[in-house]
Amino acid sequence: MFEVTLVGTGGMMPLKDRHLSSMICRFKTKNILFDCGEGTQISLQKIGWGFKSIDVICITHFHADHVSGLPGLLHAINHSGREEELIIAGPVGLKKIVESLLIIARGLSFPIKYLEIESEENSITIGELTIKSLLLEHRVPCLAYKIETHRQGKFDIELAKALNIPKQFYSELQKGNEIIHEEKRYTPNMVLGTPRKGFKIVFCTDTRPIEEIVQFAEYADLFICEGIYADDDKLEKAKEYKHMLFSEAAHLAKKANVKELWLTHYSPSLSNPEDFIENARDIFENSHTGFDGKSTVLKYEKT
């Protein structure tokens, strides 16, 4: 199963009940945090997620409402006793930005590996997860992220028996490992069917609704997308500041044939996003407003 939680859903400035942009996901033993706005460590504590087990932090861009929580979070991770390497990924210039922020959080007990994403060909592999990025249209270089799991085909026990493969090797072949025994070679493709559908989650914030997002998010199980302004009468403002309306996010979700849309990254002036959800649902029915702590667990389809 794949767990996804919105840590913070605000934009520009934090509010009493709405911290700044962040999302975290867990697949098996891997934990990935996306963005780290002010208050992220507080929100993580509220929802019961630990600091020490985060494997990767992916930053979309270097505006304060997406990175200003890093010094406090890294300081908290440091005090958790972590010693393992932490990966931080983001646009070019990442290392300079993070090291500048760390002036107030020196002496970390763990090393940081910086991955500056120079092109959309770059991808990150963490266990069974692959993270890909897309360059968006914002006032500074900004990335959307796509997290995918790769699910191998079902183990065919009857075929394994027909091939006289010893039973003690079934488990290793199921794990994708090759076996050589008594000069015979057994490979996973001998007993595994066609790959099955995995999960796809897309996190897309701070951008105009460019067409490339449609292909990037196509058939996603969950499309988490900014909706900083709820009403269409804010269109000119959205264009000026390179952001999106509820309706524009919904149009992207519909074109991309995603299963579900969560709106996030609200303007501070938008006190109750749920009052405007029909602006999205009139276009894409399975649209929902996000809120700090909103969570879901995705499960594989039975095949």
Side-chain angles (χ1 to χ4, degrees):
M1 63 183 184
F2 199 119
E3 184 176 356
V4 181
T5 300
L6 295 178
V7 182
T9 54
M12 302 182 196
M13 56 181 282
L15 301 179
K16 180 181 178 182
D17 299 313
R18 188 191 298 163
H19 291 295
L20 293 177
S21 182
S22 189
M23 183 269 282
I24 195 165
C25 61
R26 175 188 291 143
F27 181 70
K28 297 184 177 179
T29 62
K30 302 302 179 184
N31 296 276
I32 304 171
L33 181 71
F34 294 85
D35 276 346
C36 189
E38 183 179 345
T40 293
Q41 63 170 310
I42 299 171
S43 292
L44 283 169
Q45 288 176 317
K46 285 182 178 179
I47 63 178
W49 287 66
F51 302 132
K52 190 176 180 180
S53 60
I54 295 173
D55 296 283
V56 186
I57 300 175
C58 294
I59 301 297
T60 58
H61 64 296
F62 304 134
H63 280 160
D65 55 343
H66 296 260
V67 297
S68 60
L70 272 175
L73 178 63
L74 295 177
H75 191 60
I77 294 173
N78 185 66
H79 281 282
S80 73
R82 183 191 180 109
E83 296 180 354
E84 299 82 13
E85 179 181 78
L86 173 67
I87 298 172
I88 304 181
V92 173
L94 172 75
K95 184 176 181 180
K96 181 179 179 181
I97 293 292
V98 176
E99 289 186 344
S100 297
L101 292 170
L102 286 178
I103 289 174
I104 60 172
R106 294 182 184 276
L108 298 181
S109 60
F110 55 91
I112 295 176
K113 180 179 180 180
Y114 296 98
L115 296 179
E116 297 197 353
I117 299 173
E118 298 181 7
S119 73
E120 292 166 7
E121 279 67 48
N122 295 144
S123 63
I124 305 167
T125 300
I126 304 293
E128 297 175 43
L129 296 173
T130 299
I131 306 170
K132 298 179 180 179
S133 62
L134 173 72
L135 184 63
L136 300 172
E137 184 184 328
H138 193 43
R139 291 177 294 159
V140 297
C142 183
L143 300 171
Y145 289 101
K146 172 169 59 179
I147 318 102
E148 296 178 284
T149 64
H150 302 284
R151 191 182 180 199
Q152 66 184 22
K154 193 174 182 179
F155 184 81
D156 189 332
I157 191 169
E158 295 304 323
L159 182 57
K161 289 178 181 178
L163 293 171
N164 294 315
I165 298 175
K167 287 185 179 180
Q168 65 263 34
F169 302 139
Y170 287 7
S171 177
E172 288 301 311
L173 291 170
Q174 282 181 295
K175 294 175 183 176
N177 298 324
E178 183 178 298
I179 302 293
I180 297 177
H181 176 68
E182 295 180 351
E183 299 184 353
K184 291 184 179 179
R185 183 183 179 197
Y186 303 109
T187 59
N189 66 300
M190 295 171 67
V191 290
L192 298 179
T194 56
R196 292 171 288 178
K197 183 183 180 300
F199 297 123
K200 181 191 290 188
I201 294 91
V202 173
F203 183 69
C204 177
T205 184
D206 289 53
T207 181
R208 289 297 297 144
I210 58 175
E211 192 63 28
E212 289 84 352
I213 297 172
V214 174
Q215 183 176 357
F216 188 71
E218 191 172 32
Y219 302 119
D221 297 280
L222 180 59
F223 180 41
I224 300 170
C225 187
E226 78 145 295
I228 200 163
Y229 303 120
D231 278 333
D232 287 354
D233 61 10
K234 296 288 198 303
L235 178 59
E236 292 308 311
K237 196 171 184 179
K239 289 180 178 179
E240 179 183 358
Y241 292 104
K242 302 292 185 179
H243 282 292
M244 262 195 276
L245 309 171
F246 277 25
S247 60
E248 290 177 316
H251 277 298
L252 289 175
K254 183 176 181 179
K255 288 180 180 179
N257 291 303
V258 305
K259 286 187 178 179
E260 186 172 358
L261 166 67
W262 285 6
L263 294 161
T264 187
H265 198 260
Y266 308 120
S267 166
S269 63
L270 185 56
S271 58
N272 192 0
E274 188 63 29
D275 289 345
F276 301 91
I277 189 58
E278 295 307 320
N279 291 354
R281 284 184 181 157
D282 286 346
I283 299 162
F284 181 72
E285 185 176 357
N286 203 17
S287 298
H288 304 273
T289 51
F291 54 84
D292 290 19
K294 184 180 178 73
S295 184
T296 189
V297 175
L298 305 175
K299 295 182 179 180
Y300 280 134
E301 298 174 356
K302 293 183 179 180
T303 54

